[in-house]
Every structure is written in structure tokens, then in C-alpha cells.
Amino acid sequence: MTSDDQFFFDYLSSIPHDVRRYSLEVADSIDRQVDHAASLIKDAIAQQAWLPPAVRPSRPSQHMRTPQGLTDRVQNWVLRNRAWTAAILAFVGTGVVMYYGGNKLHGKRRKAKRAGNGGRKEIVVVAGSPHEPMTRAIAMDMERRGYIVYVTVSSAEEEYIVQSENRVDIKPLWLDLTTSSPLPSEVHPSLNGLRSLITQPQSPTAGVPPHTCQLSGLIIVPSTNYSAGPIATIPPSSWADTVNTRILSPILTVQAFLPLLTLRSNSKTVVFAYPSISSSLSAPFAGPEVATSRAMSGFAASLRQELSLLEQGNVDVVELRLGNIDLGPTYRHGQSQVAGTEVLAWSTQQRALYGSQYLSSVEQRPVASAGPSAIRGSPARNLHYALLDALEPRTRGIFGQKTSKKTVMYVGRGARSYSLIGNWVPSGLVALMMGYRSGSPMGSHSPSGSSSETSWERV
């Protein structure tokens, strides 16, 4: 059989398939035309008013299909684009895992870095009185986590308290703030030993390769005990002591450490820890504490702006606004006097003016150290974790850029909530919540106050 015959037979075999295909297309076209004509006829009859309703067909609605909501449209898009949906989910899931996984693995180290020879290399300076329980608690926790801890002292008694901890890596650091270096750019004379640690290699023991230490942080811990009472009853000597020990001393300490903080390029943090509840509420009868907290916050903000302008930009400033913190039975001590008994030392006129209001504020004060015994603070580990987070170097984001560190951290029960109350709730409502009353119920008594003397005997 020739090729022409084969072509002819192939052509004949394809005719039935072509006939079927063309017939189906013609049938579909006829169906569409018939349906369209039927719909036109139905619409025309439905518009005729002379036909009875039982015979007249109902007119089809222009919007028979209810509009789809956002969820339905998204679902339909997902069903139509399965490949794109899988790619988007994979990208988002991978990014979330990388971000949060990196934070969990690298942002919560909770331990100080070690040198290559296994020795301790990170140094933390705790600038606070060793008499304060918070200073000792912070120093002990930092030492347990692998830091070399220096506690500033200014007397032989304070040095003895630090040495009595019997910890090799908790050391006293004599710091005489009455002296200064000849030039502002030079290191303070009391800090020359610390400078040699971070500039010259040190060998922990004989036969171990030396390593260079690094200054990782400076923690400012002012006293949490303040004089309380009306401003008129606080003597000038108490105000001078508050300004010198709780405002001026931290400022001079930071000033003395600035040359060391900017000496090397490693990451460092200056931490200011101070009570914030009374300051947030602008509480009455707490003038020294409110003034100190506001001064420390303002100084920290100004210092942060200055250090951010440096070329290296490796020194961060973090504020720890403290609430009620329970340091545990080891550091818990009883109050030196019963709250409210200081009114016995006031004059008769001061008792008549401020007495009842002050006693009422003592009962309602939201501070564990001075308020009702039912107030309990958050565990001390919250404070220690916050300090470690503040000392952590800046982490890097997904694209390699350095992320910003929190500048203000709230630690302790009531710190954040009272801050929100003080910022957003009107002062009159805050006073009502705290039980303060405007006007003195004792103002109608005689100026001599003889009629109220019996009430103070109960104190």
C-alpha cells in the first residue's frame, strides 16, 4: 500500500471524531441560544402587567448570588492558588521560627561569657551601698552567673560587709568621689586597677593562658529607703543627705566610669534601678523619693542621648523602674520603726495640719516596705532576669541589622500598672483610689491642738 493510500485511510478514520466534535459544538451553541431566548421571553412575559400573578413568571433578581465576605474570597483564592499559598506559608513560618528561635537561643543566655581558657572575663560593677539588701542580692546573683562583680565601697565597714560574703569573685572597689582625675578624659585614680584588668591580659592561675577581661556593665542601685512625711516636717539635713547620696553620688559615679565605658569597643550597659511607684503616682508625703526618681530618670534620658551620638555607639543606658520586689528571707529585715510613729516628733501645728492625712496615706500606701503588711512583691528572680536582659548585647534581626534595646523596663509588682494609672488616670481619681481626702478634718480644732493630743497617744 502506497503512502497516498495510507493518508486516505487515516483521513477516513478521523472523520467520525471530527463529526462528533462538530456536532457537540453545534448542540452546545443551540442550547445556549435556546436558553438565552427562553430567558428573554420569560423576562418579557414577567414585565406584562395584564397577566394574572398566578400565570406571570417571577422576575429573576439582578443579584441572585449573595456577595461573598472576606473569608470566602480568601478561601476561594487559596483553593485556586495552592502553590502560592504553600510558598507564602513556608516563607512566613520560616521567618517566625528564625526570629523567635533566635531570641530564645541567644537573647536569654542567663550566663556570663567565659574566656577561651575557661576563666571569667565579664566584669560588672554594682554601685550601691553594701548595707542595702538589694545591692547584696544583685552582687550574689551576678557572681553565681559567672560575672566578676565589683561593689563600690567608701569605708572600712562597707569593705568588711563585701568581704564577709566569702566570694572570690565579689570584690570591693574603693571609689573616692571627692577626688577627680587631672583631666576629664583620664581615668579616675580609684579605677586604675580596673583599667588594667580590661586592657592587659590576665592569667587566672599559673600555667593557664592569659586573657583580657571586659567591662560589661555598671549597675546604679540607689537606696530604696527614703524619708517620708510632709515637706514641712523633713529637716534640711535630710534633704541634703538625699541629694548627696541618691542623686549626686550616682551622677558622679557614672561620670567617673565614662572613660572606662568608652575605652573599648565591646558592648556595655549602664543600668539605673530605682523605685517608681510613688513617682508614677506623684504621691504626697513622698517628696524625697519622687524627687530622686524623677532626677534619675531625667539624667538617664540625657545620658542616653549623649552616648547615642558616639561613633561606636556601644554603650546603652537602661532604666529599671522597680515596683514591689521580695528579695527573699535572706535579705528581708524588719522595719526600724513602726510606720506612722514619726508624727510624735512633729510640732503641734504640724500634727493638726497633716496628721490624719499622713496616717491615712501610710495605711493606703502601695509600697511593700511602707504600706500594709499584706502587700507582697514579685520574686527576686524577676529583678535578676531583667538585669541580665539589660546587660545582653544588642541582637541582630533577620537581615543582620542591630535591633534596639529596651530603654525602660518595669520590674516588680505594680511598677507598670501604677505607671499607666499615673499617666492616664486623672489625679483626683487617683487620690480617691488611694484614700486621700482634700481638706483636714482637724482644721476646726483650736490652733493649739490640745483637743487632739489624746489621739496621738494611740500611735
Tab-separated table of all heavy atoms in Angstrom, residues 339 357-366 370-372 375 434:
chain	number	residue	atom	x	y	z
A	339	ALA	N	5.579	52.263	111.151
A	339	ALA	CA	5.183	53.341	110.249
A	339	ALA	C	4.133	54.218	110.923
A	339	ALA	O	3.131	53.716	111.450
A	339	ALA	CB	4.639	52.765	108.952
A	357	GLN	N	-4.194	63.054	107.614
A	357	GLN	CA	-3.969	62.739	106.206
A	357	GLN	C	-2.738	61.863	106.033
A	357	GLN	O	-2.737	60.923	105.219
A	357	GLN	CB	-3.797	64.034	105.401
A	357	GLN	CG	-5.004	64.952	105.417
A	357	GLN	CD	-6.119	64.425	104.539
A	357	GLN	OE1	-6.014	63.339	103.987
A	357	GLN	NE2	-7.194	65.179	104.411
A	358	TYR	N	-1.689	62.134	106.804
A	358	TYR	CA	-0.472	61.331	106.672
A	358	TYR	C	-0.701	59.912	107.155
A	358	TYR	O	-0.264	58.942	106.508
A	358	TYR	CB	0.667	61.982	107.455
A	358	TYR	CG	1.924	61.161	107.450
A	358	TYR	CD1	2.663	61.006	106.289
A	358	TYR	CD2	2.362	60.515	108.608
A	358	TYR	CE1	3.822	60.236	106.264
A	358	TYR	CE2	3.515	59.747	108.601
A	358	TYR	CZ	4.240	59.611	107.423
A	358	TYR	OH	5.374	58.849	107.405
A	359	LEU	N	-1.374	59.749	108.276
A	359	LEU	CA	-1.649	58.404	108.773
A	359	LEU	C	-2.529	57.625	107.801
A	359	LEU	O	-2.353	56.419	107.610
A	359	LEU	CB	-2.306	58.482	110.150
A	359	LEU	CG	-1.421	59.004	111.278
A	359	LEU	CD1	-2.211	59.087	112.577
A	359	LEU	CD2	-0.195	58.131	111.462
A	360	SER	N	-3.473	58.316	107.163
A	360	SER	CA	-4.307	57.653	106.168
A	360	SER	C	-3.481	57.224	104.960
A	360	SER	O	-3.685	56.138	104.409
A	360	SER	CB	-5.435	58.579	105.720
A	360	SER	OG	-6.201	57.993	104.691
A	361	SER	N	-2.517	58.042	104.560
A	361	SER	CA	-1.675	57.681	103.415
A	361	SER	C	-0.759	56.517	103.742
A	361	SER	O	-0.439	55.696	102.880
A	361	SER	CB	-0.846	58.887	102.973
A	361	SER	OG	0.157	59.201	103.937
A	362	VAL	N	-0.311	56.406	105.004
A	362	VAL	CA	0.540	55.284	105.390
A	362	VAL	C	-0.236	53.977	105.280
A	362	VAL	O	0.279	52.958	104.810
A	362	VAL	CB	1.075	55.488	106.821
A	362	VAL	CG1	1.746	54.220	107.322
A	362	VAL	CG2	2.048	56.644	106.853
A	363	GLU	N	-1.502	53.996	105.662
A	363	GLU	CA	-2.311	52.785	105.588
A	363	GLU	C	-2.601	52.373	104.151
A	363	GLU	O	-2.748	51.187	103.856
A	363	GLU	CB	-3.624	53.000	106.334
A	363	GLU	CG	-3.438	53.245	107.835
A	363	GLU	CD	-4.751	53.580	108.515
A	363	GLU	OE1	-5.777	53.672	107.801
A	363	GLU	OE2	-4.764	53.753	109.743
A	364	GLN	N	-2.695	53.350	103.238
A	364	GLN	CA	-3.058	53.059	101.856
A	364	GLN	C	-1.871	53.052	100.909
A	364	GLN	O	-2.055	52.902	99.706
A	364	GLN	CB	-4.077	54.104	101.353
A	364	GLN	CG	-5.346	54.191	102.174
A	364	GLN	CD	-6.184	52.936	102.073
A	364	GLN	OE1	-6.104	52.206	101.091
A	364	GLN	NE2	-6.987	52.661	103.092
A	365	ARG	N	-0.673	53.219	101.434
A	365	ARG	CA	0.491	53.340	100.554
A	365	ARG	C	0.746	52.027	99.830
A	365	ARG	O	0.843	50.972	100.467
A	365	ARG	CB	1.718	53.745	101.369
A	365	ARG	CG	2.890	54.247	100.531
A	365	ARG	CD	4.004	54.728	101.429
A	365	ARG	NE	3.559	55.834	102.283
A	365	ARG	CZ	4.297	56.319	103.287
A	365	ARG	NH1	5.470	55.800	103.557
A	365	ARG	NH2	3.838	57.310	104.008
A	366	PRO	N	0.877	52.050	98.483
A	366	PRO	CA	1.036	50.801	97.720
A	366	PRO	C	2.467	50.324	97.613
A	366	PRO	O	2.875	49.764	96.604
A	366	PRO	CB	0.490	51.190	96.340
A	366	PRO	CG	0.862	52.612	96.204
A	366	PRO	CD	0.764	53.215	97.594
A	370	ALA	N	6.567	50.125	103.107
A	370	ALA	CA	5.948	51.100	103.993
A	370	ALA	C	4.453	50.960	104.084
A	370	ALA	O	3.837	51.566	104.943
A	370	ALA	CB	6.284	52.522	103.514
A	371	GLY	N	3.846	50.168	103.235
A	371	GLY	CA	2.408	50.045	103.226
A	371	GLY	C	1.925	48.896	104.088
A	371	GLY	O	2.615	48.432	105.002
A	372	PRO	N	0.748	48.397	103.795
A	372	PRO	CA	0.199	47.292	104.581
A	372	PRO	C	1.047	46.034	104.459
A	372	PRO	O	1.698	45.790	103.448
A	372	PRO	CB	-1.193	47.091	103.959
A	372	PRO	CG	-1.491	48.357	103.249
A	372	PRO	CD	-0.184	48.906	102.798
A	375	ILE	N	0.859	43.469	101.423
A	375	ILE	CA	1.465	43.683	100.110
A	375	ILE	C	2.729	42.831	99.999
A	375	ILE	O	3.613	42.896	100.852
A	375	ILE	CB	1.799	45.161	99.889
A	375	ILE	CG1	0.522	46.006	99.886
A	375	ILE	CG2	2.550	45.356	98.586
A	375	ILE	CD1	0.779	47.477	99.704
A	434	MET	N	-6.594	56.039	96.260
A	434	MET	CA	-5.618	55.844	97.324
A	434	MET	C	-6.152	56.241	98.688
A	434	MET	O	-5.440	56.101	99.695
A	434	MET	CB	-4.337	56.643	97.019
A	434	MET	CG	-3.697	56.299	95.689
A	434	MET	SD	-3.359	54.542	95.519
A	434	MET	CE	-2.238	54.300	96.880
